[in-house]
Amino acid sequence: MSFRILGALRAGVRGEAVDLGGRRSRLVLAALLLEPDRPVPVDRLVDVVWPERPPASARTQVAIAVSGLRRAFRQAGCAGHVIETVRPGYRIPAEAGTIDALDAQERIAGARLRAGEGRPAAAAGLYRGALALWDGPVLAGLRREPIETGALRWEELRLTALEEVAQVELALGRHHQLVGDLMGPVGEHPYRERLRALLMLALARAGRTSEALDVFQEGRRRLDEELGLEPGRELRDLQTAILRDDPSTQPPGVRYCAGPRGRALRWRRTAGTVRVIRSC
């Protein structure tokens, strides 16, 4: 049995999709999957399905929805107990099947371990594999406050993983690729300064200095006009570094040394030789 919540809600048995029924059943299943291996009280499921004025038969209707889901899983060929009845409600046990969100969490943990071991390429691969599991907003289309609140955990994990893989891939010299990867998320989360800083650094290392500074100014404008705030220290320091052509804003492999009359010259090693590519 497999479940997907990193996008539209889906379930499958040995690769074959399971018909999850109508909206009520899907809301119940979504609420259970957001708390895997933990009992979810019936009253909470009622609140998910009927945010206001639940009918007198609400608890019975939740039980009917659970029964319909169990029947659908059996008909799809799943012999085990996917949804257990436990006080004070229902639970999807850990052994019932795989959940893409937990798979993503495990891959990200592995990526962090490899990054800490000094294996950036292996870490980047695991991060990218985890991020590929998202194919849209978590539980897309199931608009209920408890569902959306529960989904925030997984959206935060996605953004954190994106920031972490960007840091790893910048160290690997993959700044050109990162520019396209980061532009969309920065537009969707304009107040997330870490993402903005990573986009600025990727642009600067790709030789797109003016665009990097434009990204800073756009962030400053939005913070000022919409929140009445100034950019944080990380963004301000990075802007200064880009303006000064600081070595930290250049791709890996570029180094500086003292030149004539104390000027800093930037050098790049290529094909076993060293050449000056421009003076600072």
Side-chain angles (χ1 to χ4, degrees):
M1 191 84 212
S2 62
F3 298 103
R4 300 207 64 180
I5 67 171
L6 302 180
L9 176 63
R10 283 163 287 175
V13 177
R14 291 183 290 276
E16 295 295 324
V18 176
D19 182 358
L20 299 177
R23 184 173 181 80
R24 187 177 304 162
S25 297
R26 298 173 73 84
L27 285 168
V28 168
L29 180 60
L32 293 172
L33 288 171
L34 284 172
E35 300 190 54
D37 213 32
R38 295 176 58 185
V40 180
V42 173
D43 288 344
R44 190 181 308 167
L45 297 174
V46 168
D47 290 340
V48 168
V49 180
W50 296 276
E52 299 178 3
R53 297 188 297 275
S57 61
R59 295 174 66 89
T60 299
Q61 291 190 51
V62 166
I64 292 171
V66 169
S67 178
L69 288 167
R70 286 169 170 166
R71 183 168 57 253
F73 297 144
R74 287 196 303 271
Q75 290 174 349
C78 183
H81 295 289
V82 179
I83 302 178
E84 295 179 338
T85 301
V86 292
R87 293 177 61 89
Y90 301 97
R91 175 182 66 187
I92 293 181
E95 63 271 16
T98 62
I99 302 175
D100 60 351
L102 298 183
D103 184 13
Q105 186 177 54
E106 184 175 345
R107 294 188 193 200
I108 290 167
R112 289 168 175 164
L113 179 63
R114 284 159 180 77
E117 293 170 344
R119 300 165 59 193
L126 280 173
Y127 275 123
R128 287 297 175 187
L131 288 167
L133 294 174
W134 274 267
D135 64 356
V138 177
L139 295 168
L142 297 178
R143 297 184 61 83
R144 288 289 192 274
E145 185 176 348
I147 298 293
E148 293 173 342
T149 300
L152 288 176
R153 168 191 177 190
W154 301 110
E155 175 62 9
E156 176 62 26
L157 180 66
R158 181 182 76 88
L159 292 171
T160 300
L162 183 57
E163 292 168 349
E164 291 174 3
V165 73
Q167 191 68 50
V168 169
E169 292 188 333
L170 281 169
L172 291 169
R174 299 175 183 174
H175 36 274
H176 291 284
Q177 167 192 330
L178 278 172
V179 169
D181 292 343
L182 294 174
M183 279 187 170
V186 168
E188 295 166 6
H189 303 273
Y191 308 133
R192 197 171 180 104
E193 296 198 352
R194 184 63 181 144
L195 269 180
R196 188 172 295 275
L198 289 163
L199 175 57
M200 288 172 59
L201 186 54
L203 284 165
R205 290 188 177 180
R208 298 161 65 176
T209 304
S210 63
E211 293 175 68
L213 296 172
D214 286 344
V215 169
F216 174 83
Q217 293 298 341
E218 172 63 14
R220 166 178 272 174
R221 181 191 66 77
R222 295 198 63 165
L223 284 169
D224 179 42
E225 293 180 359
E226 299 171 17
L227 301 179
L229 299 174
E230 280 292 310
R233 173 165 300 228
E234 181 180 17
L235 283 177
R236 298 197 310 271
D237 288 350
L238 181 55
Q239 182 207 27
T240 301
I242 292 172
L243 288 168
R244 293 177 176 173
D245 206 15
D246 188 87
S248 65
T249 67
Q250 303 305 320
V254 173
R255 63 185 179 86
Y256 285 72
C257 65
R261 295 181 300 277
R263 290 182 303 157
L265 298 181
R266 184 158 41 130
W267 304 72
R268 186 189 300 276
R269 182 173 299 280
T270 57
T273 63
V274 176
R275 61 186 180 89
V276 178
I277 61 174
R278 72 180 175 88
S279 61
C280 304

